[in-house]
Amino acid sequence: MAIILDKLDYVYSPGTAYEKHALKNINLVINDGEFIGIIGHTGSGKSTLIQHMNGLVKATGGTVYYNGADIYDEDYKLKDLRTKVGLVFQYPEHQLFETTVLKDVQFGPKNLGLPPLEVDLRAYDALKQVGIGDDLIDASPFELSGGQKRRVAIAGVLAMKPEVLILDEPTAGLDPKGRDEILDQIAKIHKEQKITVILVSHSMEDVAKYVDRIIVMNHGEAVYDGAPKEVFAHYKELEQIGLAAPQVTYAMHALRDAGIPVTTDATTVEEARDAILAWYREEKK
Amino acid sequence: MIRDITIGQYYPADSILHRLDPRVKLSGTLIYIVCLFLVKNLWGYLIAALCLGAIIRLSKVPFGFIVRGLKTIIILLLFTVAFNLFLTSGTPIFEWKFIRITKEGVSLAFSMAVRLILLILGSSLMTFTTTPNQLTDGMESLLGPLKKLHVPVHEIAMMMSIALRFIPILLEETDKIMKAQQARGADFETGGIIKRAKAMVPILVPLFISAFRRAGDLAMAMEARCYRGGEGRTKMKPLKYHKPDGIAWVAIVCFIALTVVSRRF
C-alpha cells in the first residue's frame, strides 16, 4: 500500500477559456515494488496523473495517500514526499544547470541536507547506476550527448534514493540503442533495489517488455488496469482510442486467423517465439 | 501560480472586438492611452472607465480574467501611490510625526493609480482580442510609411510578435523547470532574500538555455522556409477595412471628443 489515489479529479485553469478536465475520478492503488506502465496518447492525462503522485499538482477533487497518510493534510511535509517519490520529467536533460555532471547530481541529495560525504557517495553511486563513467564526472553537462544528458538527469533523481521512481517518457527522442540502454538500466534498478517504478510511455513495445502491470489512460480516465496480457487482449478497443497493442499481438492474431492454433496472449517477441515453437513441436508429433 | 500572468496572452472568443481590424485596435489603444494623460478631472476618468467597461463587455473576455493581469503590477502600483501620496508638497490635510499627506498628493496618487490601472487593462484587452499574427500585421501596416526613411518596419514587427509569442511559452517552461527542480527537493518558498535568490539559479540557467535553443530552432525553421525579411513579401490575408471598423473609428473619434470636452468642466 504505497500510493493510493482516491477519486482524484483535476481541472486545469477552472473558470477560463482554457479550462480542461484533465483527470476524472481516478482510483488506483500502487503497491510497493511494482513495475507499472502508464500508457495513453498525448493529452490523455498521463503527465498530470504522475505529478499528483508527489504532490507537485494539487487535485481539485479527491485525495492521494502515501503510506497511509493524506498528502493534502496541512501538516504533511510535501518536501519529504518529493524525496520519497522521485519524478523524472519528460526531457529531464532540460533541467541540468550545474557546471559539472557531479555537481548536478549532488543537487538533490544536498537539498535533503545530507552530510557532504553521503552526498558524494550517493552521487557517485547514482551515476554508476545509470552507466556514466568516471571520465565524464567532471565534464560540463552541456557537453554531453543527448542520451548521456538524460542519464545524468535520471541519476540526479536516483541520488535522492526514492522509494518510488516515476519516469515520464524516459525514452522520448532517443535512438533505439539509447532507448534500450536506459530501459535496461531502469529494469535493473527496479530488480536490485526493489523500488516501485512507474514508467509513462506511449510505446507499447517498451511497456510490454518490462512492466508487470499496465494502466491505460484516455481522456483523463483510467480505462484499463491489469497485466500486459489482459490489457492487450483489448487490442481492438485500444485501437479505437488511438493506441495499439505490440506488433507481436497482431502477428499472433493473424496467425490464428490463418488457421494456426497458437495462443494469442504473447506480448513480447520472446513469448511469441515460444508460443510458435510450442505449436510447431505439437504439429510435428 | 505562474500561469496567472495574463498580460500579452490571447483569449480566444467570438466577439466584434476579436473580428475588428488590428489597425483599428492598435490605433484605438494608442489613442486611449494618450487620452488617459489628457484627462484632467474626475469626469474624464469616469468617461474613460465607462468606455473601457463597455468595450470589455463587447469583447466577451471575462472581467476576472483581465483583472488578473493587474496582479503583476500591484507592487508598481503601490509604489506609485505611496510616492505620490507622501512626497507631494502642497496644503496638508493630515500630519503625524514625519508623515504628511497633502491635498495635492491625494489627488495625484489617485489619478496616477487610475491611469495605470486603465492603461494596463486597456492595453491587455488589445492583446486578449488580437492574435500575435494580427498584431504584427497591424503594426507593420501602420508603420509602413516609415519604410521610406529606411526604418526596418517589417523586422521590428516580426521581432515584437516573436517576443509576444514567446511569453506564454517561456512561462510554461519556467513552470516545468520549477516543478522538475522541486521534484529534486529544491525549495523556493522559505529562507531570506539571499537564499531565495540563490534558489533561482537552478531555474534561470535551464530557462536561458532553453530560450536560446528555442530561438535557434525558430531561426532555423524560418530559414528552412526561405524567410529573408520583409522585402517583396506578400500576405495570405491582406488587411482590409470593413463596416464595423468604420463604426469603431467613429466611436474612437467620439471618445476623443468626450475627453477633450471633459477638460472644460
Side-chain angles (χ1 to χ4, degrees):
Chain A
M1 48 153 260
I3 304 175
I4 298 172
L5 308 179
D6 184 28
K7 301 194 191 75
L8 212 61
D9 250 300
Y10 186 69
V11 184
Y12 266 112
S13 320
T16 71
Y18 303 103
E19 182 174 309
K20 191 172 176 256
H21 207 154
L23 293 178
K24 293 171 200 157
N25 193 25
I26 304 275
N27 294 290
L28 287 174
V29 177
I30 287 153
N31 300 304
D32 284 331
E34 276 188 307
F35 198 155
I36 297 178
I38 298 181
I39 57 177
H41 58 83
T42 321
S44 59
K46 298 170 292 184
S47 299
T48 313
L49 178 67
I50 55 168
Q51 285 178 30
H52 280 85
M53 293 181 184
N54 72 348
L56 278 173
V57 175
K58 192 176 184 302
T60 43
T63 188
V64 179
Y65 297 95
Y66 184 74
N67 283 342
D70 184 344
I71 68 162
Y72 296 143
D73 261 352
E74 276 195 12
D75 49 357
Y76 192 88
K77 288 202 178 69
L78 278 176
K79 206 182 158 193
D80 291 351
L81 175 71
R82 289 184 192 138
T83 65
K84 284 176 196 146
V85 182
L87 178 55
V88 180
F89 274 82
Q90 221 165 343
Y91 296 104
E93 59 272 28
H94 292 174
Q95 54 177 306
L96 300 174
F97 67 98
E98 271 290 6
T99 45
T100 71
V101 166
L102 184 66
K103 275 192 194 163
D104 207 283
V105 178
Q106 285 171 335
F107 180 68
K110 259 190 197 157
N111 284 330
L112 301 184
L114 297 170
L117 198 68
E118 175 76 12
V119 170
D120 281 352
L121 218 63
R122 283 191 178 197
Y124 282 116
D125 207 35
L127 283 167
K128 210 170 137 197
Q129 279 175 9
V130 296
I132 293 287
D134 291 342
D135 50 325
L136 292 175
I137 270 176
D138 289 317
S140 160
F142 304 107
E143 290 166 0
L144 307 182
S145 74
Q148 287 169 331
K149 273 188 202 167
R150 181 151 317 170
R151 276 186 273 167
V152 170
I154 294 175
V157 172
L158 279 178
M160 315 221 310
K161 295 220 170 164
E163 293 165 5
V164 180
L165 179 64
I166 307 174
L167 301 113
D168 192 354
E169 302 265 4
T171 59
L174 292 184
D175 55 22
K177 189 168 160 272
R179 184 189 69 203
D180 289 347
E181 276 172 9
I182 284 201
L183 288 175
D184 283 339
Q185 270 150 0
I186 293 166
K188 205 174 120 207
I189 291 162
H190 170 250
K191 216 170 135 195
E192 285 173 358
Q193 304 189 5
K194 311 242 174 326
I195 59 174
T196 313
V197 176
I198 300 174
L199 188 71
V200 175
S201 177
H202 52 228
S203 159
M204 302 303 135
E205 263 78 15
D206 289 357
V207 170
K209 193 170 162 198
Y210 295 96
V211 306
D212 29 60
R213 179 177 161 198
I214 290 179
I215 297 163
V216 180
M217 296 288 296
N218 187 39
H219 295 305
E221 286 170 279
V223 279
Y224 295 111
D225 178 1
K229 284 185 189 7
E230 293 162 32
V231 171
F232 291 135
H234 299 282
Y235 73 106
K236 290 233 165 75
E237 290 91 336
L238 284 176
E239 261 174 25
Q240 273 168 11
I241 60 175
L243 296 167
Q247 284 169 357
V248 282
T249 308
Y250 291 97
M252 297 310 269
H253 278 279
L255 281 176
R256 204 176 171 93
D257 291 345
I260 299 168
V262 286
T263 50
T264 52
D265 60 0
T267 54
T268 63
V269 176
E270 287 75 24
E271 282 174 9
R273 177 196 64 200
D274 293 345
I276 294 170
L277 282 177
W279 160 77
Y280 183 70
R281 287 197 193 101
E282 200 64 23
E283 196 81 335
K284 261 186 141 180
K285 269 183 200 164
Chain B
M1 59 202 132
I2 204 143
R3 281 168 193 273
D4 289 344
I5 300 173
T6 50
I7 292 178
Q9 265 185 31
Y10 177 66
Y11 184 94
D14 183 32
S15 77
I16 299 177
L17 218 61
H18 283 77
R19 286 191 299 267
L20 225 50
D21 191 285
R23 286 172 290 184
V24 180
K25 281 187 270 188
L26 264 170
S27 3
T29 312
L30 211 67
I31 290 169
Y32 185 76
I33 292 171
V34 171
C35 281
L36 276 181
F37 286 92
L38 286 178
V39 166
K40 254 177 156 177
N41 50 27
L42 203 61
W43 287 110
Y45 288 123
L46 209 64
I47 292 168
L50 283 178
C51 286
L52 189 64
I55 299 170
I56 290 175
R57 272 300 287 278
L58 274 179
S59 74
K60 291 186 187 165
V61 181
F63 189 65
F65 199 75
I66 299 176
V67 170
R68 243 186 279 171
L70 283 177
K71 259 195 206 164
T72 42
I73 61 147
I74 207 145
I75 293 173
L76 183 70
L77 204 62
L78 286 177
F79 265 105
T80 318
V81 169
F83 274 119
N84 282 306
L85 201 57
F86 297 121
L87 299 177
T88 314
S89 54
T91 23
I93 49 167
F94 176 83
E95 253 178 302
W96 181 73
K97 285 183 184 167
F98 59 92
I99 297 175
R100 200 177 126 107
I101 295 175
T102 64
K103 204 177 148 201
E104 284 80 359
V106 172
S107 79
L108 202 61
F110 172 77
S111 64
M112 283 310 260
V114 172
R115 264 181 200 164
L116 215 61
I117 291 172
L118 290 179
L119 199 145
I120 294 289
L121 289 184
S123 45
S124 55
L125 187 64
M126 181 188 64
T127 52
F128 278 138
T129 57
T130 320
T131 60
N133 273 339
Q134 284 180 319
L135 261 185
T136 344
D137 279 1
M139 206 150 17
E140 207 183 326
S141 143
L142 280 178
L143 298 177
L146 289 178
K147 270 185 200 158
K148 296 226 165 66
L149 301 172
H150 295 290
V151 177
V153 172
H154 170 81
E155 281 72 15
I156 293 172
M158 182 58 96
M159 277 192 259
M160 288 182 85
S161 82
I162 290 175
L164 277 177
R165 178 71 193 83
F166 265 56
I167 292 174
I169 292 180
L170 288 180
L171 283 179
E172 208 171 290
E173 191 86 20
T174 314
D175 199 45
K176 235 166 74 187
I177 294 169
M178 272 176 90
K179 275 184 184 163
Q181 305 299 24
Q182 270 178 319
R184 291 209 281 165
D187 186 357
F188 308 119
E189 273 119 39
T190 57
I193 287 185
I194 294 173
K195 200 184 156 218
R196 282 199 200 194
K198 268 190 181 163
M200 294 307 281
V201 173
I203 302 175
L204 290 179
V205 173
L207 190 63
F208 270 107
I209 290 169
S210 99
F212 280 117
R213 190 187 57 240
R214 276 178 196 281
D217 286 353
L218 183 67
M220 193 91 88
M222 284 167 84
E223 273 181 5
R225 284 183 266 172
C226 301
Y227 177 82
R228 29 173 217 102
E231 217 172 303
R233 200 172 156 81
T234 54
K235 295 252 184 292
M236 188 167 145
K237 293 176 190 160
L239 292 175
K240 257 191 215 136
Y241 278 120
H242 295 283
K243 208 178 159 196
D245 301 315
I247 298 170
W249 269 119
V250 172
I252 291 170
V253 171
C254 287
F255 175 71
I256 301 173
L258 271 174
T259 312
V260 172
V261 169
S262 81
R263 283 164 64 93
R264 298 191 166 253
F265 285 96

